[in-house]
Amino acid sequence: MPHYGDYQNAIYGAGLAGVVPRLPVDFATLEARAVAAMPASVRDYVQGGCGDETTQARNAGAFGHWGMVPRMMVDGSRRDLSIDLLGLRLPHPLFMAPIGVNGICTPDGHGDLAAARAAAETGVPFMASTLANDPLEAVAGAMGDTPGFFQLYTPKDVELAASLVTRAEAAGYKGIVVTLDTWVTGWRPRDLNTGNFPQLRGAVLTNYFSDPVFRAALAAPPEADPAAAIRQWMGTFGKVLTWDDMPWLRSLTRLPLILKGICHPDDARRAIDLGADAIYCSNHGGRQANGGIAAIDCLPDVVAAAGDTPVLFDSGVRSGSDVVKALALGATAVGVGRPYAYGLALDGAAGAAHVLRCILAEADLLMAVNGYPTIPAVRAAGAQRIAR
Ligand code: FNR
């Protein structure tokens, strides 16, 4: 029976023939290579975060104060990483978090398609952002048999919101992820210091420019007058959502509704009471608000509040051991963000797929060594907070 950890054997086997991996297997080396290779404006947008980036650093650092205790004399020779999520049976609990500048992470400008191809190659579901360089239909078409989710940045124009969701349903996405924390952009010094906001330069707006409702509101098509189309986008991006909007959001789709950005247990309870099918615990990788506690430290309370409702998690996941810790703390599925974007930047779909395979391999091997052959076993083992 093949295991994700077999990727390690493939790497060592190639090493015997003098072949080393094209990309590093660890995050620190990957990030260093990627930031050296990316154009400065893309690098700053992807690597940077809010304020002095304390929250962003804390997200990743906080995994260091959670630890797991191995169990011995358990047969871990066959591992089953599969999970049930929102009616889907998935082979493992990893997914690719939505990243609105995937499109410009690859030199050809088609990074969304490359991310979708990485999903097809690895079986890691991709959450496609509203902000993309290729239309959501084409992105869905590149995912092969791997299920995808559509992440909605809710526009102020409710007809446009409905149109985007209807398109996502028609394209075969399996759920709608509504991001709650980004109706306004957080204070991002790296981008401010260079006056760079990709969307204002017309990047990653294809889902808007290809939308019939968006186009109908323009005097001239975006191809003829891109500046007017960008102004139109500025006017509609970022509807302020409150709990009063939940019936409307719920009415937009029969697909599972996943609310992204929930870090407080009361918000998790309220979301579920009002019809959310899943909670997505995330602080947007520290890109939206600085000064917060690490997302992984919010996770246990959110999981407790969510009860039987699935909890997706991201923010600071850099390795397979981070994934297993998040699962041990109750996450149903775990999202990878910046690491796969760096993979895209260095080697397109193959680079992102390599990053995902490394994370899956490390998680699988950790489960083998620690005597956790299944995800329920990981959860039963739990993780302990390490006193400093
Ligand atoms: C994001 N994130 C994000 N989230 C979202 O819901 N829609 C989006 O379009 C984007 N865009 C985006 C761009 C970039 C460059 C980054 C790095 C992140 C947030 C993303 O889904 C996820 O929450 C974070 O990436 C998690 O943090 P780490 O683990 O990547 O640090």
Side-chain angles (χ1 to χ4, degrees):
M1 173 179 161
H3 285 101
Y4 296 107
D6 296 346
Y7 196 47
Q8 163 167 276
N9 300 337
I11 292 174
Y12 284 137
L16 293 175
V19 177
V20 297
R22 281 161 64 91
L23 300 188
V25 305
D26 66 292
F27 177 75
T29 317
L30 175 80
E31 182 178 44
R33 286 263 301 270
V35 300
M38 294 162 101
S41 59
V42 183
R43 175 199 67 206
D44 286 344
Y45 193 83
V46 175
Q47 190 186 31
C50 207
D52 68 0
E53 302 180 358
T54 297
T55 301
Q56 174 176 331
R58 212 174 258 158
N59 278 339
F63 281 91
H65 62 236
W66 292 98
M68 294 164 294
V69 178
R71 301 305 301 268
M72 293 297 114
M73 304 293 270
V74 177
D75 182 0
S77 61
R78 282 163 178 264
R79 275 93 61 202
D80 177 1
L81 276 66
S82 65
I83 59 160
D84 291 309
L85 179 68
L86 300 167
L88 300 168
R89 183 86 185 146
L90 300 173
H92 56 70
L94 210 63
F95 67 90
M96 296 158 84
I99 291 196
V101 289
N102 280 334
I104 53 174
C105 279
T106 58
D108 68 358
H110 294 288
D112 304 288
L113 295 179
R117 282 199 294 275
E121 275 182 39
T122 59
V124 178
F126 175 43
M127 287 185 180
S129 173
T130 312
L131 296 171
N133 260 0
D134 281 284
L136 60 92
E137 293 82 0
V139 174
M143 290 177 186
D145 295 333
T146 305
F149 296 82
F150 179 68
Q151 178 265 321
L152 179 71
Y153 275 136
T154 316
K156 291 174 189 156
D157 178 345
V158 293
E159 298 300 323
L160 176 59
S163 178
L164 289 166
V165 170
T166 304
R167 288 172 58 193
E169 287 178 343
Y173 288 91
K174 304 296 185 205
I176 303 295
V177 179
V178 178
T179 297
L180 304 177
D181 58 15
T182 313
W183 56 271
V184 64
T185 306
W187 181 256
R188 298 179 187 163
R190 291 202 213 189
D191 299 331
L192 290 161
N193 284 339
T194 53
N196 175 55
F197 194 65
Q199 293 86 315
L200 295 187
R201 296 162 191 227
V204 300
L205 299 183
T206 299
N207 280 327
Y208 301 87
F209 291 4
S210 62
D211 190 275
V213 172
F214 186 89
R215 293 175 75 92
L218 294 169
E223 305 77 47
D225 190 351
I230 293 167
R231 279 197 301 278
Q232 169 88 359
W233 173 81
M234 285 166 66
T236 197
F237 183 82
K239 178 172 167 56
V240 180
L241 292 170
T242 72
W243 295 117
D244 292 342
D245 292 303
M246 267 304 275
W248 168 70
L249 276 177
R250 189 58 281 185
S251 76
L252 286 178
T253 184
R254 289 211 182 126
L255 288 175
L257 187 65
I258 302 148
L259 296 191
K260 179 172 188 271
I262 290 189
C263 293
H264 195 290
D266 290 348
D267 290 347
R269 274 185 282 268
R270 195 147 184 196
I272 294 163
D273 287 348
L274 292 170
D277 297 293
I279 300 300
Y280 189 154
C281 177
S282 163
N283 63 19
H284 214 111
R287 298 171 63 74
Q288 279 299 93
N290 199 30
I293 65 175
I296 190 70
D297 293 340
C298 299
L299 179 63
D301 287 346
V302 169
V303 166
D308 292 336
T309 302
V311 177
L312 287 70
F313 172 81
D314 77 26
S315 292
V317 174
R318 301 289 177 259
S319 67
S321 64
D322 292 347
V323 171
V324 179
K325 286 179 189 178
L327 295 168
L329 292 172
T332 313
V334 182
V336 177
R338 288 180 173 97
Y340 85 78
Y342 292 144
L344 282 180
L346 286 170
D347 202 13
H354 167 80
V355 168
L356 297 167
R357 286 195 180 108
C358 288
I359 291 174
L360 278 171
E362 189 192 345
D364 180 43
L365 291 168
L366 172 60
M367 287 171 61
V369 173
N370 270 13
Y372 315 149
T374 63
I375 305 299
V378 171
R379 258 190 111 148
Q384 296 175 24
R385 201 178 167 107
I386 302 161
R388 284 186 187 271

